[in-house]
Short mmCIF file of all heavy atoms in Angstrom, two decimals:
data_model
loop_
_atom_site.label_atom_id
_atom_site.label_comp_id
_atom_site.label_asym_id
_atom_site.label_seq_id
_atom_site.Cartn_x
_atom_site.Cartn_y
_atom_site.Cartn_z
N ASN D 1 21.91 -12.41 18.38
CA ASN D 1 20.72 -12.98 19.00
C ASN D 1 19.80 -13.48 17.87
O ASN D 1 19.25 -12.68 17.12
CB ASN D 1 20.04 -11.87 19.83
CG ASN D 1 18.89 -12.47 20.71
OD1 ASN D 1 18.00 -13.13 20.17
ND2 ASN D 1 18.90 -12.19 21.98
N ASN D 2 19.54 -14.80 17.83
CA ASN D 2 18.68 -15.39 16.77
C ASN D 2 17.26 -14.88 16.80
O ASN D 2 16.60 -14.70 15.74
CB ASN D 2 18.72 -16.90 16.89
CG ASN D 2 20.06 -17.49 16.55
OD1 ASN D 2 20.82 -16.89 15.78
ND2 ASN D 2 20.42 -18.69 17.11
N ASP D 3 16.73 -14.59 17.97
CA ASP D 3 15.34 -14.09 18.12
C ASP D 3 15.27 -12.75 17.53
O ASP D 3 14.27 -12.40 16.81
CB ASP D 3 14.86 -14.18 19.56
CG ASP D 3 14.71 -15.56 20.10
OD1 ASP D 3 14.67 -16.50 19.28
OD2 ASP D 3 14.57 -15.69 21.35
N VAL D 4 16.23 -11.89 17.82
CA VAL D 4 16.26 -10.54 17.37
C VAL D 4 16.30 -10.45 15.83
O VAL D 4 15.62 -9.75 15.14
CB VAL D 4 17.40 -9.72 17.99
CG1 VAL D 4 17.51 -8.33 17.36
CG2 VAL D 4 17.15 -9.58 19.48
N THR D 5 17.22 -11.24 15.30
CA THR D 5 17.40 -11.24 13.85
C THR D 5 16.23 -11.88 13.09
O THR D 5 15.86 -11.49 12.01
CB THR D 5 18.65 -12.03 13.39
OG1 THR D 5 18.62 -13.34 13.96
CG2 THR D 5 19.91 -11.29 13.92
N PHE D 6 15.55 -12.84 13.74
CA PHE D 6 14.35 -13.42 13.19
C PHE D 6 13.24 -12.44 13.07
O PHE D 6 12.59 -12.27 12.01
CB PHE D 6 13.88 -14.64 14.01
CG PHE D 6 12.55 -15.24 13.59
CD1 PHE D 6 12.37 -15.83 12.38
CD2 PHE D 6 11.47 -15.06 14.46
CE1 PHE D 6 11.13 -16.31 11.99
CE2 PHE D 6 10.25 -15.58 14.11
CZ PHE D 6 10.02 -16.18 12.88
N ILE D 7 12.92 -11.71 14.16
CA ILE D 7 11.91 -10.72 14.15
C ILE D 7 12.27 -9.57 13.22
O ILE D 7 11.46 -9.02 12.50
CB ILE D 7 11.59 -10.17 15.59
CG1 ILE D 7 11.00 -11.26 16.47
CG2 ILE D 7 10.66 -8.93 15.49
CD1 ILE D 7 9.66 -11.84 15.97
N GLY D 8 13.55 -9.23 13.17
CA GLY D 8 14.03 -8.20 12.24
C GLY D 8 13.74 -8.64 10.78
O GLY D 8 13.37 -7.77 9.92
N GLY D 9 13.97 -9.91 10.50
CA GLY D 9 13.71 -10.39 9.17
C GLY D 9 12.24 -10.33 8.79
O GLY D 9 11.88 -9.96 7.58
N LEU D 10 11.32 -10.54 9.76
CA LEU D 10 9.90 -10.44 9.53
C LEU D 10 9.58 -8.96 9.20
O LEU D 10 8.76 -8.64 8.29
CB LEU D 10 9.06 -10.88 10.66
CG LEU D 10 9.10 -12.41 10.98
CD1 LEU D 10 8.16 -12.77 12.12
CD2 LEU D 10 8.75 -13.22 9.72
N ILE D 11 10.06 -8.03 10.04
CA ILE D 11 9.80 -6.60 9.82
C ILE D 11 10.33 -6.14 8.42
O ILE D 11 9.63 -5.41 7.79
CB ILE D 11 10.37 -5.75 10.97
CG1 ILE D 11 9.67 -6.10 12.30
CG2 ILE D 11 10.25 -4.29 10.66
CD1 ILE D 11 10.22 -5.40 13.51
N LEU D 12 11.47 -6.63 8.01
CA LEU D 12 12.02 -6.25 6.76
C LEU D 12 11.07 -6.81 5.61
O LEU D 12 10.84 -6.13 4.66
CB LEU D 12 13.41 -6.79 6.56
CG LEU D 12 14.05 -6.54 5.22
CD1 LEU D 12 14.08 -5.07 4.90
CD2 LEU D 12 15.46 -7.10 5.17
N LYS D 13 10.56 -7.96 5.83
CA LYS D 13 9.64 -8.55 4.81
C LYS D 13 8.37 -7.71 4.79
O LYS D 13 7.89 -7.43 3.68
CB LYS D 13 9.35 -10.04 5.18
CG LYS D 13 8.48 -10.71 4.18
CD LYS D 13 8.27 -12.19 4.59
CE LYS D 13 7.40 -12.98 3.55
NZ LYS D 13 8.24 -13.37 2.39
N HIS D 14 7.90 -7.27 5.93
CA HIS D 14 6.70 -6.43 5.99
C HIS D 14 6.94 -5.16 5.25
O HIS D 14 6.06 -4.58 4.60
CB HIS D 14 6.26 -6.18 7.44
CG HIS D 14 5.98 -7.37 8.26
ND1 HIS D 14 6.06 -7.47 9.64
CD2 HIS D 14 5.68 -8.67 7.88
CE1 HIS D 14 5.77 -8.63 10.04
NE2 HIS D 14 5.49 -9.41 8.98
N GLN D 15 8.14 -4.58 5.41
CA GLN D 15 8.48 -3.31 4.73
C GLN D 15 8.34 -3.42 3.20
O GLN D 15 8.13 -2.40 2.51
CB GLN D 15 9.92 -2.95 5.09
CG GLN D 15 10.09 -2.43 6.52
CD GLN D 15 10.07 -0.86 6.60
OE1 GLN D 15 10.44 -0.24 5.62
NE2 GLN D 15 9.56 -0.39 7.70
N GLN D 16 8.41 -4.61 2.71
CA GLN D 16 8.32 -4.83 1.26
C GLN D 16 6.89 -5.33 0.93
O GLN D 16 6.41 -5.01 -0.20
CB GLN D 16 9.33 -5.91 0.87
CG GLN D 16 10.78 -5.46 1.05
CD GLN D 16 11.71 -6.66 0.91
OE1 GLN D 16 12.01 -7.05 -0.24
NE2 GLN D 16 12.22 -7.16 2.01
N ILE D 17 6.21 -6.00 1.78
CA ILE D 17 4.86 -6.46 1.52
C ILE D 17 3.88 -5.27 1.49
O ILE D 17 3.03 -5.17 0.63
CB ILE D 17 4.38 -7.43 2.61
CG1 ILE D 17 5.05 -8.80 2.40
CG2 ILE D 17 2.83 -7.56 2.58
CD1 ILE D 17 4.71 -9.79 3.51
N ILE D 18 4.08 -4.36 2.43
CA ILE D 18 3.08 -3.29 2.61
C ILE D 18 2.86 -2.38 1.38
O ILE D 18 1.72 -2.15 1.02
CB ILE D 18 3.44 -2.43 3.88
CG1 ILE D 18 3.23 -3.29 5.09
CG2 ILE D 18 2.64 -1.15 3.94
CD1 ILE D 18 3.88 -2.73 6.40
N PRO D 19 3.93 -1.86 0.79
CA PRO D 19 3.67 -0.88 -0.35
C PRO D 19 2.97 -1.57 -1.49
O PRO D 19 2.26 -0.85 -2.27
CB PRO D 19 5.18 -0.52 -0.78
CG PRO D 19 5.95 -0.74 0.40
CD PRO D 19 5.36 -1.95 1.12
N SER D 20 3.06 -2.90 -1.70
CA SER D 20 2.43 -3.52 -2.79
C SER D 20 1.05 -4.16 -2.47
O SER D 20 0.38 -4.60 -3.42
CB SER D 20 3.34 -4.67 -3.34
OG SER D 20 4.54 -4.08 -3.86
N ASN D 21 0.71 -4.10 -1.17
CA ASN D 21 -0.48 -4.91 -0.79
C ASN D 21 -1.48 -4.19 0.13
O ASN D 21 -2.64 -4.59 0.14
CB ASN D 21 -0.04 -6.21 -0.15
CG ASN D 21 0.66 -7.15 -1.10
OD1 ASN D 21 0.05 -7.83 -1.87
ND2 ASN D 21 1.96 -7.16 -1.00
N MET D 22 -1.02 -3.23 0.87
CA MET D 22 -1.96 -2.59 1.82
C MET D 22 -3.04 -1.79 1.08
O MET D 22 -2.84 -1.26 0.02
CB MET D 22 -1.21 -1.68 2.83
CG MET D 22 -0.26 -2.37 3.78
SD MET D 22 -1.08 -3.68 4.78
CE MET D 22 -0.46 -5.21 4.04
N HIS D 23 -4.18 -1.73 1.74
CA HIS D 23 -5.37 -1.04 1.11
C HIS D 23 -5.67 0.17 1.95
O HIS D 23 -5.61 0.17 3.17
CB HIS D 23 -6.55 -1.94 1.02
CG HIS D 23 -6.46 -2.99 0.01
ND1 HIS D 23 -5.72 -4.13 0.22
CD2 HIS D 23 -6.99 -3.10 -1.16
CE1 HIS D 23 -5.80 -4.93 -0.89
NE2 HIS D 23 -6.53 -4.32 -1.76
N SER D 24 -6.09 1.21 1.29
CA SER D 24 -6.60 2.39 2.02
C SER D 24 -8.03 2.09 2.55
O SER D 24 -8.87 1.44 1.97
CB SER D 24 -6.75 3.59 1.00
OG SER D 24 -7.29 4.70 1.59
N PHE D 25 -8.18 2.54 3.80
CA PHE D 25 -9.43 2.38 4.50
C PHE D 25 -10.10 3.72 4.64
O PHE D 25 -9.52 4.64 5.29
CB PHE D 25 -9.21 1.74 5.88
CG PHE D 25 -10.43 1.37 6.67
CD1 PHE D 25 -11.15 0.30 6.29
CD2 PHE D 25 -10.81 2.12 7.74
CE1 PHE D 25 -12.34 -0.04 6.98
CE2 PHE D 25 -11.90 1.76 8.52
CZ PHE D 25 -12.70 0.70 8.12
N GLY D 26 -11.18 3.98 3.93
CA GLY D 26 -11.69 5.34 3.75
C GLY D 26 -12.86 5.79 4.55
O GLY D 26 -13.56 4.99 5.21
N GLU D 27 -13.19 7.09 4.39
CA GLU D 27 -14.34 7.70 5.00
C GLU D 27 -14.81 8.86 4.11
O GLU D 27 -14.03 9.41 3.37
CB GLU D 27 -14.03 8.18 6.40
CG GLU D 27 -13.10 9.41 6.47
CD GLU D 27 -12.78 9.80 7.85
OE1 GLU D 27 -13.06 9.06 8.84
OE2 GLU D 27 -12.32 11.00 8.03
N THR D 28 -16.09 9.22 4.18
CA THR D 28 -16.65 10.33 3.45
C THR D 28 -16.73 11.49 4.40
O THR D 28 -17.25 11.49 5.47
CB THR D 28 -18.05 9.97 2.89
OG1 THR D 28 -17.93 8.85 2.03
CG2 THR D 28 -18.62 11.14 2.15
N GLN D 29 -16.18 12.64 3.91
CA GLN D 29 -16.22 13.88 4.62
C GLN D 29 -16.70 15.00 3.65
O GLN D 29 -15.90 15.42 2.83
CB GLN D 29 -14.89 14.25 5.25
CG GLN D 29 -14.93 15.42 6.16
CD GLN D 29 -13.58 15.75 6.77
OE1 GLN D 29 -13.13 16.87 6.73
NE2 GLN D 29 -12.96 14.73 7.33
N GLY D 30 -17.99 15.31 3.75
CA GLY D 30 -18.48 16.31 2.79
C GLY D 30 -18.51 15.69 1.40
O GLY D 30 -19.00 14.59 1.16
N LEU D 31 -17.88 16.36 0.46
CA LEU D 31 -17.80 15.87 -0.92
C LEU D 31 -16.52 15.07 -1.15
O LEU D 31 -16.31 14.62 -2.29
CB LEU D 31 -17.84 17.07 -1.88
CG LEU D 31 -19.17 17.86 -1.96
CD1 LEU D 31 -19.05 19.02 -2.90
CD2 LEU D 31 -20.32 16.92 -2.41
N GLU D 32 -15.68 14.94 -0.17
CA GLU D 32 -14.43 14.29 -0.34
C GLU D 32 -14.42 12.85 0.27
O GLU D 32 -15.11 12.59 1.25
CB GLU D 32 -13.27 15.08 0.35
CG GLU D 32 -13.00 16.37 -0.33
CD GLU D 32 -11.78 17.06 0.34
OE1 GLU D 32 -11.90 17.77 1.32
OE2 GLU D 32 -10.68 16.80 -0.24
N TYR D 33 -13.65 12.01 -0.34
CA TYR D 33 -13.42 10.63 0.16
C TYR D 33 -11.97 10.64 0.62
O TYR D 33 -11.03 10.75 -0.17
CB TYR D 33 -13.70 9.61 -0.88
CG TYR D 33 -13.71 8.18 -0.36
CD1 TYR D 33 -14.76 7.70 0.43
CD2 TYR D 33 -12.62 7.30 -0.53
CE1 TYR D 33 -14.83 6.43 0.95
CE2 TYR D 33 -12.64 6.00 0.00
CZ TYR D 33 -13.74 5.59 0.71
OH TYR D 33 -13.78 4.34 1.22
N LEU D 34 -11.78 10.47 1.97
CA LEU D 34 -10.41 10.61 2.55
C LEU D 34 -10.00 9.29 3.17
O LEU D 34 -10.80 8.39 3.44
CB LEU D 34 -10.46 11.73 3.62
CG LEU D 34 -10.97 13.12 3.17
CD1 LEU D 34 -11.06 13.98 4.34
CD2 LEU D 34 -10.07 13.70 2.11
N GLU D 35 -8.69 9.24 3.46
CA GLU D 35 -8.12 8.06 4.01
C GLU D 35 -8.26 8.13 5.55
O GLU D 35 -7.83 9.03 6.19
CB GLU D 35 -6.62 7.91 3.70
CG GLU D 35 -6.03 6.58 4.11
CD GLU D 35 -4.56 6.40 3.62
OE1 GLU D 35 -3.78 7.30 3.77
OE2 GLU D 35 -4.31 5.32 3.01
N ARG D 36 -8.91 7.08 6.14
CA ARG D 36 -9.05 7.00 7.54
C ARG D 36 -7.95 6.15 8.14
O ARG D 36 -7.39 6.42 9.24
CB ARG D 36 -10.40 6.34 7.91
CG ARG D 36 -10.58 6.09 9.39
CD ARG D 36 -11.99 5.52 9.71
NE ARG D 36 -13.02 6.57 9.62
CZ ARG D 36 -14.27 6.40 10.06
NH1 ARG D 36 -14.64 5.28 10.62
NH2 ARG D 36 -15.13 7.41 9.96
N GLY D 37 -7.52 5.05 7.46
CA GLY D 37 -6.53 4.21 7.96
C GLY D 37 -5.97 3.33 6.80
O GLY D 37 -6.38 3.48 5.68
N ILE D 38 -5.11 2.37 7.14
CA ILE D 38 -4.62 1.43 6.17
C ILE D 38 -4.93 0.04 6.67
O ILE D 38 -4.95 -0.20 7.90
CB ILE D 38 -3.15 1.59 5.88
CG1 ILE D 38 -2.29 1.53 7.18
CG2 ILE D 38 -2.85 2.83 5.17
CD1 ILE D 38 -0.82 1.49 6.97
N ALA D 39 -5.26 -0.87 5.77
CA ALA D 39 -5.76 -2.19 6.09
C ALA D 39 -4.90 -3.33 5.46
O ALA D 39 -4.60 -3.16 4.31
CB ALA D 39 -7.20 -2.30 5.74
N ALA D 40 -4.68 -4.33 6.22
CA ALA D 40 -3.98 -5.55 5.69
C ALA D 40 -5.08 -6.49 5.26
O ALA D 40 -5.79 -7.03 6.16
CB ALA D 40 -3.04 -6.13 6.68
N MET D 41 -5.24 -6.69 3.98
CA MET D 41 -6.36 -7.51 3.41
C MET D 41 -5.79 -8.67 2.61
O MET D 41 -5.52 -8.54 1.44
CB MET D 41 -7.20 -6.62 2.53
CG MET D 41 -7.62 -5.27 3.10
SD MET D 41 -8.77 -5.40 4.52
CE MET D 41 -10.19 -6.03 3.69
#
């Protein structure tokens, strides 16, 4: 199925983009700065 393999190709590309590009989205809790989420920037 061409549509399935196309979307699969995008997800595989994302699997490689994310570790090198995603940013931590943080928050302050007491004296610590913790991760709230991850952001595509």
Side-chain angles (χ1 to χ4, degrees):
N1 186 310
N2 291 334
D3 291 345
V4 173
T5 55
F6 170 68
I7 294 298
L10 292 185
I11 294 176
L12 178 57
K13 188 179 180 76
H14 301 157
Q15 287 265 328
Q16 298 167 77
I17 287 174
I18 291 166
S20 297
N21 295 282
M22 294 301 104
H23 288 77
S24 176
F25 185 73
E27 67 181 19
T28 299
Q29 187 179 129
L31 294 176
E32 294 187 272
Y33 190 74
L34 304 174
E35 189 174 51
R36 174 176 287 192
I38 55 174
M41 313 291 293

